[in-house]
Amino acid sequence: MIAALHPCAEAYGKVIVLGEHSVVYGKPAVAAGLPNGLVLRARPLPDSAEPCRLRIPAWGLDLSVADVDHPVATAAATVLDHCRGPRTGWAIDGETCLPARAGLGSSATLTVALARLVLGPEAEVAAIEAASLAGERVFHGEPSGLDSAIAARGGVLRFVRGEPVRPIAVRAPIPLVILPSGVARSTAVEVAKVRARKERLPTLLEPILGALAAAAEAGIAAIESNDLGQLGEIMNVSHELVSALGVGHPALDRLVARALEGGALGAKLTGAGGGGCVVALRGPDDALVSALAAEGTPAIPVEIHG
Ligand code: PMV
């Protein structure tokens, strides 16, 4: 048992650019890391026998890792155990600008940063990912591993389940804007919806999953050649395809339409869908973010770098 935690650890948030859901079935996906996803700081509690406390005010979390009824506590305890870290004697405080449970990788930021608090900054990324996945299983059942990979590594990655990740070279920063719908959703529920539709209608769903895989590969080529017009069109097609899996939502369709009216080159739901966020590719005449701010539509501008 490791008695001490490192004082500070970080993880990336994430935006899935292409390939959510199809990635669960072994197809390629493209995800980008969002810097400053979550910073955790650890300090010893006066009583070393007291269960570790986890506080992340931005997500409304203030809990003991011994609280077996709370999924976040259970996931945190799972990660600590996986890394042979302490269950008692530490207060862990988190700071983040990411909304929770919105498809931006909040759970993977937590599990990756917790693993780093125990294993330290020099730990192998594979060890961090494995610990994160143990915690992610508490939240999502059988996650693809995409969120843990990007939360641990950042950058822009091509991810295929069970294969080594490939970093994608980005020639110039890619300007995105994330539009939270405010509609709550659960990754596990949305993943189950797709599985059920695939079981009912396999001959329809298989070609859609194949088209999503083709979209991810074509999107990688567009990113590598810095062809943002092409990338935007691929994102638009992907929104229709992923919605056809059964995880669309009128609020997401409205945000996609709003982004395109405002000059975005492309827009699509990102993450599990059913709510959560839209990601839009900002155009050269980048008036979209200020227009959204002026009308009070929540928007998070980000630039992704390889
Ligand atoms: O938890 P979210 O909303 O970021 O979605 C995860 C992405 C899925 O492809 C839907 C599930 C997975 O395990 O990859």
Side-chain angles (χ1 to χ4, degrees), residues 19-298:
E20 48 277 275
H21 287 290
S22 43
V23 70
V24 172
Y25 299 94
K27 313 290 189 208
V30 181
L34 304 176
N36 310 319
L38 176 69
V39 179
L40 291 182
R41 292 195 171 77
R43 61 190 159 76
L45 288 166
D47 176 1
S48 64
E50 188 186 332
C52 291
R53 288 210 68 81
L54 177 64
R55 275 189 347 115
I56 307 179
W59 296 342
L61 288 178
D62 184 356
L63 47 85
S64 152
V65 301
D67 179 358
V68 289
D69 293 331
H70 200 300
V72 175
T74 308
T78 302
V79 175
L80 292 172
D81 289 353
H82 183 99
C83 301
R84 298 176 186 281
R87 281 276 207 115
T88 61
W90 293 84
I92 301 167
D93 292 307
E95 269 175 50
T96 178
C97 296
L98 286 182
R101 296 181 298 278
L104 300 179
S106 54
S107 64
T109 61
L110 175 60
T111 52
V112 163
L114 265 179
R116 286 214 171 105
L117 270 189
V118 184
L119 300 177
E122 307 302 331
E124 297 272 342
V125 74
I128 300 292
E129 277 180 90
S132 165
L133 261 179
E136 287 285 281
R137 283 193 194 101
V138 174
F139 291 118
H140 306 314
E142 199 39 60
S144 65
L146 171 63
D147 285 20
S148 298
I150 195 73
R153 294 159 197 269
V156 183
L157 300 180
R158 175 185 185 275
F159 178 94
V160 180
R161 200 170 191 165
E163 290 181 14
V165 295
R166 175 161 80 74
I168 299 170
V170 176
R171 288 205 202 168
I174 299 179
L176 302 176
V177 57
I178 292 164
L179 307 173
S181 69
V183 177
R185 96 276 110 85
S186 141
T187 300
V189 168
E190 300 306 314
V191 168
K193 270 192 212 166
V194 175
R195 191 171 294 283
R197 182 172 275 190
K198 185 168 173 292
E199 275 163 20
R200 286 192 305 274
L201 300 168
T203 53
L204 274 71
L205 271 271
E206 286 295 350
I208 298 172
L209 295 171
L212 284 164
E217 299 293 20
I220 291 169
I223 291 170
E224 286 174 337
S225 58
N226 201 30
D227 187 344
L228 297 190
Q230 176 94 338
L231 178 61
E233 188 168 7
I234 294 166
M235 289 169 69
N236 290 337
V237 172
S238 291
H239 179 70
E240 304 294 342
L241 290 170
V242 82
S243 297
L245 298 176
V247 298
H249 190 283
L252 298 173
D253 293 339
R254 281 196 291 276
L255 286 173
V256 165
R258 174 68 194 90
L260 295 175
E261 272 162 31
L265 298 177
K268 61 180 275 292
L269 69 83
T270 184
C277 295
V278 157
V279 60
L281 179 60
R282 279 139 63 193
D285 165 24
D286 193 5
L288 178 59
V289 173
S290 45
L292 292 169
E295 71 196 33
T297 302

